[in-house]
Amino acid sequence: MERREFLSWVSVGVLASSLPAAIAACTKQPETTSASPTESPLATSPRPDGFIPVGTVAQMDQQGFLSNKQSAAGAVIVVRDPKQANKIVALSSVCTHKGCTVEWQKNQALLTCPCHNSAFGIDGSVKKAPATKPLATFAAKIDGDMVLVKA
Ligand code: FES
């Protein structure tokens, strides 16, 4: 085998071995923001009373909030009302500015958006721009160990 032929084969080998990595890099999905490392897998159809299970009380209390992006009610975040611990509040977790996922900041009793720093009150009201519209709110209740939300 001549030197030129050998180098040609080596070049083909290098290209072939790096192709899968190049394809994977090009098809990598962008990271999404998430309010919760443990999204609730519950995404069922509404019960006869219209409420939809979005997670368990244990999940909510363990994390301090409950996030479910795929519930039948849409992407929701449920937190305990800082002023009344036995009351829960459910809001859309989709920021009204450009659609990122808001995060619960228990110490500030605010929902904040990591994308452009909008902030929302527990009632969904805008506390800090650039968002100008409030977060949607949902009726919510606890039934046994389940956290339920009504769209
Ligand atoms: S998407 Fe939330 S502040 Fe811009």
Side-chain angles (χ1 to χ4, degrees):
M1 180 181 291
E2 291 184 22
R3 181 172 181 242
R4 178 172 287 189
E5 187 179 351
F6 173 76
L7 290 175
S8 175
W9 278 109
V10 169
S11 299
V12 169
V14 168
L15 281 174
S17 64
S18 62
L19 192 58
I23 290 171
C26 290
T27 59
K28 191 173 185 177
Q29 297 296 316
E31 287 188 25
T32 58
T33 58
S34 173
S36 168
T38 55
E39 288 286 324
S40 171
L42 301 173
T44 59
S45 56
R47 303 185 334 172
D49 63 2
F51 279 90
I52 301 158
V54 294
T56 66
V57 174
Q59 288 173 313
M60 183 173 64
D61 288 341
Q62 181 181 7
Q63 301 173 131
F65 62 91
L66 186 62
S67 177
N68 189 321
K69 292 182 183 176
Q70 300 170 339
S71 81
V76 297
I77 185 165
V78 184
V79 300
R80 288 198 181 271
D81 186 327
K83 294 178 183 164
Q84 301 176 43
N86 61 345
K87 183 180 170 196
I88 61 172
V89 179
L91 305 104
S92 168
S93 61
V94 180
C95 179
T96 57
H97 179 231
K98 293 200 183 247
C100 290
T101 301
V102 297
E103 299 172 344
W104 174 236
Q105 307 298 330
K106 185 176 181 183
N107 296 346
Q108 303 168 35
L110 290 174
L111 295 138
T112 60
C113 181
C115 292
H116 310 103
N117 300 318
S118 286
F120 303 88
I122 194 82
D123 60 352
S125 63
V126 176
K127 299 295 185 188
K128 185 180 172 197
T132 58
K133 296 179 181 172
L135 295 174
T137 58
F138 304 101
K141 68 179 182 179
I142 293 174
D143 185 7
D145 188 39
M146 297 304 301
V147 176
L148 305 171
V149 170
K150 191 174 194 175

